[in-house]
Amino acid sequence: MEVDRMLGSAIHPHLRYRDESVPKTSCRSMAGPLPASSILAMRSSLSEPQSEKRMFILGMGFVGQFLSYKLQCQGWTVSGTCTSHMKKKKLEDRGFHIYHLDALEPELSILDHMKHYTHLLVSIPPIAGIGDPMLQHERLLRSSLVNGNLRWLCYLSSTSVYGDCGGELVDEDYPPNPTSELAKLRLASEEGWSNLAHYLGISPYIFRLGGIYGPGRSAIETIIKQDPLSEAQKRRKYRKYTSRVHVEDICQAIMAAANSLSLGKVYNIVDEDPAPREQVSEYARKLVENKWPGLITQQAEEIEWSNVTSNKRGEKRVCNARMKEQLGVQLAYPDYTTGLQSILDKMEAPYVQS
C-alpha cells in the first residue's frame, strides 16, 4: 500500500495544485519547513508522547501522509516510518517524527518507540518471496508491545485477497481465494497482524482497499504526463469491474474506526462504482481536454492496448455496506466521476516551468 511519493505538487514536478488540495500540517501552510526550534521541541515531546491519541504509522506512503496531516489537525501525535532518507527529511521538516525503515533489514529499535503509542496503522505491503517484513520479527513485536500503550491496530490490506469471483457481489463474509503470490501474501499478513493484535488483547481492524487514487495519483495525472502504461495497468484493461477508492475516503474510514468504541472487523473500503479502467481513462481524458484543449498530443493508451490479450482474472464487485453502516462513513467521492472532477478542479496548471 505504501507509495513512495509526496503529496500535492511534490508528487510530480510538472503538476501543481491549489493549496486546498494538499492537507496541511497542524492546519498550517506547507509552503516551507518549520523553524528549527519548533522541530526540536516537537521531537523532544515525541520521544515520550503525552497526548491521549497517538498514532504510529508503519509505512508513511500515499495514504499514511494524507492521514497524518488530518490527524495532526485534530490534535493527534503522529509518528511513522518511511523507506527513503529524502522523504524522511521532508517529513521531518513538516513536523513529523520519522524513522527510516529498510523493509529487508528493519531497524528493530523502532519497536521501543512504537510501544508508547495508542494506535498502530500498518501500511507496509508484503514483499514477494519474503512476506510481511515486520512479521518476520513477530516474537520481538509481541514482547515489545505487550506491556505498551497500544489499544488499537489496523492493517491496510487489499480486495485482491478475494481472487476471481466471477463478477459476484463480494462482502466481507465471502471466502478469500487469492490467486497471485502478492495477494496470497496479503492474506497471510492479515492473519499475522490479527494474531498479534489478539495476543495483545486488541480486536484488529482489517481494511481491504480497492485501487487507491487521489491528487497526484489518478487517471488525470496519467493522461497529462502521457507516460507509458505499466504492465499492471495493461492487464486491467479487460476487467469489467475494478474497485477503487479515493484517498480522502480511506482516511475518513480509518479515522472513524480509530474513534470508534466498536470491536475491530474486516471492512471493504471501496466506492460505489467498480467501473472498468478503460471507462475511467476515457472520462479523465475528456476532463483534461475540456480544461486544456490541445494538451493531449498522442493516443498512447489506445496504441498500447493493441498488444494486450484479454485477461478477466480478478473479476468481482466489492460491497461497502458494512463500512457505511457500522463505521458511519458517507463517501465524499462515491464514484470515479466525482473523484476525478475534484482532482482536476484543484489543479492550477498541468505544467510548471522550472
Side-chain angles (χ1 to χ4, degrees), residues 243-315:
S243 296
R244 54 184 56 80
V245 61
H246 194 287
V247 64
E248 295 276 359
D249 286 321
I250 297 173
C251 292
Q252 183 185 173
I254 293 172
M255 294 169 73
N259 289 303
S260 174
L261 298 177
S262 65
L263 296 178
K265 290 183 179 179
V266 176
Y267 290 93
N268 292 331
I269 311 299
V270 297
D271 67 17
E272 310 280 4
D273 187 6
R277 185 187 186 282
E278 186 177 22
Q279 180 177 319
V280 175
S281 180
E282 180 59 28
Y283 181 76
R285 180 182 295 278
K286 289 180 179 178
L287 288 180
V288 172
E289 289 179 338
N290 287 338
K291 186 166 185 176
W292 296 297
L295 176 66
I296 309 303
T297 59
Q298 57 181 310
Q299 303 293 315
E301 291 192 34
E302 286 77 356
I303 294 172
E304 292 193 65
W305 292 137
S306 61
N307 296 321
V308 183
T309 57
S310 177
N311 183 351
K312 296 184 180 298
R313 289 177 58 189
E315 288 283 15

Side-chain angles (χ1 to χ4, degrees), residues 227-241:
D227 289 339
L229 296 176
S230 68
E231 290 303 314
Q233 288 173 322
K234 294 177 186 179
R235 287 194 297 270
R236 290 194 292 269
K237 152 72 174 178
Y238 287 100
R239 285 188 186 174
K240 184 176 181 180
Y241 306 109

Side-chain angles (χ1 to χ4, degrees), residues 58-309:
L58 280 171
M60 289 275 279
F62 189 68
V63 173
Q65 289 177 58
F66 261 88
L67 178 66
S68 298
Y69 299 123
K70 292 180 177 296
L71 289 174
Q72 272 203 346
C73 286
Q74 294 191 9
W76 287 67
T77 295
V78 184
S79 295
T81 68
C82 68
T83 57
S84 162
H85 287 289
M86 182 178 296
K87 181 195 287 187
K88 180 177 184 293
K89 175 64 166 57
K90 290 180 178 179
L91 289 171
E92 286 177 337
D93 286 345
R94 289 171 177 171
F96 295 107
H97 193 60
I98 304 297
Y99 303 89
H100 178 259
L101 177 66
D102 184 335
L104 297 178
E105 297 182 9
E107 179 60 55
L108 299 181
S109 63
I110 293 173
L111 300 180
D112 293 332
H113 301 282
M114 287 170 56
K115 66 184 180 183
H116 295 295
Y117 289 77
T118 57
H119 292 62
L120 175 63
L121 179 71
V122 183
S123 184
I124 297 179
I127 301 172
I130 296 177
D132 192 291
M134 295 302 294
L135 289 177
Q136 296 180 88
H137 311 283
E138 185 175 358
R139 287 186 179 180
L140 286 173
L141 280 167
R142 289 188 176 198
S143 62
S144 176
L145 299 177
V146 69
N147 293 318
N149 298 314
L150 196 66
R151 61 173 185 260
W152 183 92
L153 187 151
C154 179
Y155 175 70
L156 299 187
S157 185
S158 167
T159 57
S160 64
V161 300
Y162 292 115
D164 185 356
C165 306
E168 289 189 32
L169 184 64
V170 174
D171 65 13
E172 292 83 352
D173 294 324
Y174 193 97
N177 184 29
T179 53
S180 69
E181 178 188 3
L182 287 178
K184 292 176 182 178
L185 291 176
R186 280 284 186 195
L187 189 60
S189 294
E190 287 187 10
E191 181 179 359
W193 285 105
S194 293
N195 290 340
L196 174 63
H198 290 307
Y199 176 82
L200 299 174
I202 299 170
S203 183
Y205 287 86
I206 304 297
F207 279 9
R208 291 172 177 166
L209 310 183
I212 304 168
Y213 76 101
R217 182 183 173 181
S218 75
I220 295 290
E221 287 81 7
T222 299
I223 294 296
I224 290 175
K225 291 184 286 183
Q226 302 181 66
D227 289 339
L229 296 176
S230 68
E231 290 303 314
Q233 288 173 322
K234 294 177 186 179
R235 287 194 297 270
R236 290 194 292 269
K237 152 72 174 178
Y238 287 100
R239 285 188 186 174
K240 184 176 181 180
Y241 306 109
T242 298
S243 296
R244 54 184 56 80
V245 61
H246 194 287
V247 64
E248 295 276 359
D249 286 321
I250 297 173
C251 292
Q252 183 185 173
I254 293 172
M255 294 169 73
N259 289 303
S260 174
L261 298 177
S262 65
L263 296 178
K265 290 183 179 179
V266 176
Y267 290 93
N268 292 331
I269 311 299
V270 297
D271 67 17
E272 310 280 4
D273 187 6
R277 185 187 186 282
E278 186 177 22
Q279 180 177 319
V280 175
S281 180
E282 180 59 28
Y283 181 76
R285 180 182 295 278
K286 289 180 179 178
L287 288 180
V288 172
E289 289 179 338
N290 287 338
K291 186 166 185 176
W292 296 297
L295 176 66
I296 309 303
T297 59
Q298 57 181 310
Q299 303 293 315
E301 291 192 34
E302 286 77 356
I303 294 172
E304 292 193 65
W305 292 137
S306 61
N307 296 321
V308 183
T309 57

Side-chain angles (χ1 to χ4, degrees), residues 17-24 248 345-346:
Y17 300 82
R18 286 204 289 271
D19 289 344
E20 65 266 28
S21 69
V22 184
K24 298 176 175 59
E248 295 276 359
D345 288 346
K346 293 172 184 177

